[in-house]
Amino acid sequence: MPVSKTFYIETFGCQMNAHDSEKVIGTLEHEGYTQVSDETEAGLILYNTCSIRDKAEQKVFHRLNEYKRMQGEGKKFAVIGCVAQQEGERIFERAPYVSIVAGSASYRNLPSMLSRLEAGESRITGLDDRQTDETFDTEFTARSNPHRGYITIIEGCDKFCAYCVVPYTRGKERSRTSASVLVEARRMADQGFTDIQLLGQNVNSWRDPSGKLSFAELLSAVGNITGIKRVRFTTSHPRDFTRDIVEAIDATPALCDHIHLPVQSGSSAVLAAMSREYTRDWYLERMSWIHGAKRDISITSDMIVGFPGETDADFEETITLLGAVRYDAVFAFKFSPRPNTPAVTMIDSIPEELKTERLRILNDRQREIQREHYARHLGQQVEVMVESYNSARGQVVGRSSQNKTVNFTITPGEIQPPIGSYLPVHITRTMPNCLVGEAVEGAVPFLATASMQPQPFVVLN
Ligand code: 5AD
Ligand code: SF4
């Protein structure tokens, strides 16, 4: 039966995955496929998967079982992304109705995989793993947001932290040239994008293959493109975090005052067991550079509790680190053993209840810190990029340069600022997770020209 050239895609996982899907969508559209929002109408169903922690992976198999119900309707299925790379051909055994299994390091071969699918092949694999030096560069990226867009500057990972699947699912580290990144960023600025997020599993491990720019210089170069108002980068690794990154932020207004620098643990012993290749003090030295910046740079982190062998004293060091750094947000996870990783062979010595208890203590402490720390914004005037409207509360919802959610009201009768516009907001209240305020009276929202299509203006209140 010929493949109906309609597709439905569902995406799980990180921003890299979200952006990969934008590129996959663009590629499929270029190959003559049309995206549909209802899976029942699709000839091809793609499932872009994540395997970072237990639950994420279980979701895949749960969804695959649901797929089963749609068998016999002439549909084709593709499992792509991290679970695809991790499970490989086993997916065909568990779900024989799947036709394509492809990891992200193989997406550049998608057009040929689609041709094979159309020719009737039923078991097509793209499992390049760590073989390739190529990145998935495509001009056919279907960006879902016309104001804020991702650019992948480095793919894969060579760090091999003991707990992490990424080096096995995303292949080896491969950087794009500064020229190709800057061409893409300039094209986006011309299209009206004002906010660019540079992506990489270890974004600051980026090395210019053409040897022209350092990572900090690339940040500045993107930040100096006319029309670009905000540049973020994620995720940074402490091992490759250099002082000139902080200096670049201080010197370049468009670089956001936000650094996500996951520490994972506050204990040097646990960091060593995790193969993170830095100590608590080494990390704190990087924090002192950021704290010493001229700008108020928000710092966020990821943490893992219950790594094999983590003692009460180790955990206590993670808690004291929270106080020493005063993070603006922390994403904390219970350790979950992942296939293929070194940590899977370590004895998962921390009982589930203790992991849960440590996670609770960490989150409670961090919430207290955020409650105090966010109060510094009270009375400040903060520039906000508008993201959505909460009509039930009569509020506009946006994001600050520090990546904080800001809920604000506008003076009754004034025009609602369009999505993607920027305007100054006076902060009147602070919460542990967001800021609340009022648009500065009479301020005219700034909206980039190329995206200044007619907006649905609605008057609030
Ligand atoms: N168990 C728990 N958390 C993990 N992370 C990565 N691998 C694991 C794992 N096996 C967390 C890390 C990482 C974030 C994206 O997910 O904190 O920074
Ligand atoms: Fe999930 Fe990691 Fe893959 Fe992103 S890179 S989709 S977080 S497993």
Side-chain angles (χ1 to χ4, degrees), residues 37 44 82 97 100 156 186 206-207 223 234 268 282 343 360 370:
S37 55
L44 173 63
C82 293
Y97 45 93
I100 296 182
R186 284 195 200 102
W206 178 83
R207 296 289 170 270
T234 192
S268 293
W282 200 89
R360 189 191 58 74
Q370 277 176 226

Side-chain angles (χ1 to χ4, degrees), residues 8 90 146 279 295 306 343 415 421 429:
Y8 168 86
R90 281 196 296 269
T279 60
R295 288 167 71 173
I415 284 178
S421 65
R429 238 173 99 203

Side-chain angles (χ1 to χ4, degrees), residues 52-53 163-164 262 264 302-304 333-336 338:
I52 195 83
R53 287 174 296 272
Y163 51 81
C164 189
Q264 312 300 358
D302 297 339
M303 291 189 171
I304 296 176
F333 311 99
K334 289 190 260 187
F335 167 70
S336 125
R338 303 283 64 219

Side-chain angles (χ1 to χ4, degrees), residues 75-143:
K75 288 185 191 304
K76 303 283 178 184
F77 297 92
V79 179
I80 62 173
C82 293
V83 176
Q85 182 67 49
Q86 181 185 294
E87 299 297 313
E89 304 205 349
R90 281 196 296 269
I91 293 181
F92 293 132
E93 283 149 35
R94 236 170 134 161
Y97 45 93
V98 169
S99 302
I100 296 182
V101 171
S104 64
S106 309
Y107 292 166
R108 64 191 189 291
N109 302 323
L110 267 178
S112 70
M113 290 188 223
L114 292 169
S115 309
R116 289 167 57 193
L117 182 75
E118 288 160 26
E121 273 190 57
S122 59
R123 287 194 163 196
I124 302 157
T125 52
L127 299 168
D128 265 7
D129 193 10
R130 302 189 63 82
Q131 311 306 318
T132 184
D133 286 323
E134 288 178 55
T135 50
F136 179 34
D137 295 348
T138 169
E139 49 188 300
F140 309 114
T141 304
R143 289 198 164 82

Side-chain angles (χ1 to χ4, degrees), residues 381-417:
Q381 197 168 298
V382 170
E383 186 185 61
V384 175
M385 186 201 206
V386 176
E387 288 187 342
S388 62
Y389 309 115
N390 183 338
S391 42
R393 291 182 155 190
Q395 282 179 328
V396 181
V397 183
R399 192 167 294 274
S400 71
S401 166
Q402 286 202 339
N403 209 29
K404 290 184 176 137
T405 300
V406 183
N407 299 308
F408 64 98
T409 48
I410 51 173
T411 313
E414 275 199 31
I415 284 178
Q416 180 170 284

Side-chain angles (χ1 to χ4, degrees), residues 140-367:
F140 309 114
T141 304
R143 289 198 164 82
S144 55
N145 178 325
H147 312 286
R148 167 182 303 141
Y150 298 124
I151 300 181
T152 306
I153 66 165
I154 174 169
E155 294 176 15
C157 178
D158 288 345
K159 288 282 191 292
F160 291 94
C161 301
Y163 51 81
C164 189
V165 286
V166 172
Y168 312 92
T169 60
R170 286 195 165 268
K172 68 177 171 195
E173 234 166 61
R174 356 192 246 285
S175 294
R176 285 173 63 185
T177 62
S178 51
S180 97
V181 172
L182 289 168
V183 163
E184 188 166 356
R186 284 195 200 102
R187 198 187 312 132
M188 287 170 67
D190 290 344
Q191 291 166 347
F193 286 89
T194 55
D195 181 325
I196 285 184
Q197 190 156 333
L198 302 178
L199 292 182
Q201 218 62 55
N202 288 310
V203 74
N204 59 328
S205 310
W206 178 83
R207 296 289 170 270
D208 191 350
S210 61
K212 285 190 189 132
L213 299 185
S214 67
F215 175 67
E217 286 166 341
L218 180 76
L219 290 180
S220 307
V222 177
N224 285 322
I225 292 173
T226 309
I228 297 303
K229 278 181 70 68
R230 287 187 176 177
V231 180
R232 301 182 192 281
F233 51 98
T234 192
T235 290
S236 297
H237 193 293
R239 189 66 230 170
D240 297 319
F241 193 84
T242 48
R243 199 168 196 156
D244 57 357
I245 298 174
V246 181
E247 289 160 1
I249 294 176
D250 264 344
T252 318
L255 298 185
C256 287
D257 13 85
H258 173 215
I259 293 172
H260 183 60
L261 198 59
V263 66
Q264 312 300 358
S265 169
S267 149
S268 293
V270 174
L271 289 170
M274 288 177 165
S275 306
R276 290 290 285 176
E277 297 187 352
Y278 57 82
T279 60
R280 176 191 174 100
D281 285 347
W282 200 89
Y283 182 86
L284 282 173
E285 189 187 12
R286 269 100 205 122
M287 292 296 109
S288 73
W289 299 342
I290 304 172
H291 287 144
K294 291 191 215 105
R295 288 167 71 173
D296 174 13
I297 300 177
S298 77
I299 310 172
T300 57
S301 187
D302 297 339
M303 291 189 171
I304 296 176
V305 298
F307 189 77
E310 182 188 67
T311 62
D312 285 343
D314 289 323
F315 176 64
E316 189 49 33
E317 289 203 73
T318 294
I319 296 300
T320 59
L321 187 86
L322 295 178
V325 176
R326 291 165 71 76
Y327 288 110
D328 289 83
V330 167
F331 306 93
F333 311 99
K334 289 190 260 187
F335 167 70
S336 125
R338 303 283 64 219
N340 308 321
T341 61
V344 82
T345 58
M346 300 175 187
I347 296 164
D348 189 6
S349 52
I350 317 294
E352 187 58 24
E353 312 80 69
L354 188 53
K355 286 183 188 169
T356 306
E357 178 63 359
R358 286 182 180 168
L359 187 66
R360 189 191 58 74
I361 294 170
L362 194 161
N363 284 332
D364 284 353
R365 175 74 188 113
Q366 179 56 27
R367 201 176 160 79

